[in-house]
Amino acid sequence: GRAERQRQEQAAMQTRVVPAQLAEPLGLNLEQFVPKQAPGEARPDHVLMEELLAVHSKMCQIFSQRAGNLRIIRSLWRDDRRGAIQHVQHLGDVGTSVDFLRQILKGPGRDLNLEQAGGVLPIVKDVLLSKFESHLVVGLEAASSLWHAFGDLINRTLGTKPLVVDVAPAERRDKCRIAKHLFGEIRSILDTLKDRKDDVGNRCRLLWHDLPADTFD
């Protein structure tokens, strides 16, 4: 009922996360969408229709632009994965980032290499700063997938010291240090979410237990 909806909205506002399931959009005031007019003034139907279509046109433009960005990213991904990842970072659009993560992380780390994973982790971090629960879930799934794919490699590489100087292992250690630092930043974000009493909190706690504390010393 109305009281329950208000309770959900207040809880979401306090935790700064918009739940994925609500009876209606959070904080939506339908009065704000009614065209303003003077008392007693009748607005012609065609004027009201034009105003509504203008809003619809703006939304279509936003979705069309996002679809175009995803087509560019998909095209780059085939031949230049580094370029595709950099393009997502440059866009800075959380919605596009979420769609990107959904596509490339359908399996455990998919077929990313360590360098590519290091490029994807900042995107994951930005998604985890979103206030939308659906975004957070995708970010948590991506972080978990990447950790399970590269966590052992990072631990083994940084836990041993090469006896001889070798360029390849040195580069790998640098990439592992970068990835370790990014996982540490993600872990700090989990600190702010893991006490939630909802699906986001449950997922955060599971990932928290997967990430050993001594990994980030």
Side-chain angles (χ1 to χ4, degrees):
R2 181 180 181 84
E4 175 62 19
R5 184 170 67 252
Q6 290 177 340
R7 186 194 66 77
Q8 286 184 327
E9 293 183 359
Q10 290 173 356
M13 289 293 192
Q14 291 171 359
T15 54
R16 298 183 180 181
V17 173
V18 179
Q21 301 294 330
L22 277 177
E24 62 184 61
L26 182 66
L28 178 62
N29 181 2
L30 295 179
E31 295 295 331
Q32 296 176 352
F33 293 83
V34 177
K36 300 298 184 294
Q37 61 186 57
E41 179 186 353
R43 304 288 296 276
D45 289 345
H46 73 276
V47 173
L48 295 176
M49 183 61 69
E50 287 176 358
E51 293 176 349
L52 290 174
L53 287 175
V55 175
H56 175 72
S57 177
K58 180 63 176 179
M59 293 301 298
C60 288
Q61 180 182 353
I62 292 173
F63 287 124
S64 177
Q65 182 177 11
R66 181 169 297 172
N69 287 334
L70 290 172
R71 282 193 294 270
I72 293 172
I73 294 166
R74 185 179 298 111
S75 177
L76 286 171
W77 189 255
R78 287 194 291 266
D79 302 313
D80 181 13
R81 292 190 174 188
R82 182 179 180 181
I85 293 169
Q86 290 175 340
H87 187 65
V88 177
Q89 293 174 337
H90 176 73
L91 288 173
D93 177 64
V94 177
T96 300
S97 296
V98 169
D99 290 337
F100 172 73
L101 293 177
R102 284 189 178 124
Q103 290 300 312
I104 69 168
L105 294 172
K106 292 182 178 179
R110 198 62 183 275
D111 55 348
L112 298 176
N113 59 36
L114 181 60
E115 180 179 8
Q116 292 163 358
V120 171
L121 283 170
I123 298 173
V124 174
K125 189 180 73 170
D126 289 343
V127 168
L128 287 173
L129 295 175
S130 170
K131 66 178 181 178
F132 293 99
E133 180 181 359
S134 58
H135 292 176
L136 295 177
V137 169
V138 172
L140 290 167
E141 290 175 347
S144 179
S145 179
L146 289 170
W147 176 252
H148 287 139
F150 297 100
D152 286 343
L153 173 63
I154 292 171
N155 287 335
R156 289 197 309 270
T157 301
L158 298 181
T160 60
K161 295 183 178 180
L163 298 178
V164 296
V165 177
D166 190 329
V167 175
E171 291 179 352
R172 184 166 60 247
R173 288 177 68 85
D174 288 341
K175 292 173 183 177
C176 284
R177 288 192 187 98
I178 293 172
K180 175 185 175 181
H181 175 71
L182 290 167
F183 275 117
E185 292 184 339
I186 288 173
R187 185 173 185 266
S188 296
I189 295 174
L190 298 186
D191 280 333
T192 67
L193 297 171
K194 65 185 179 67
D195 293 330
R196 292 175 55 86
K197 307 300 182 183
D198 57 10
D199 185 50
V200 168
N202 292 337
R203 291 172 181 267
C204 281
R205 288 188 290 275
L206 288 173
L207 182 55
W208 173 267
H209 290 300
D210 283 345
L211 302 177
D214 60 359
T215 301
F216 309 102
D217 291 341

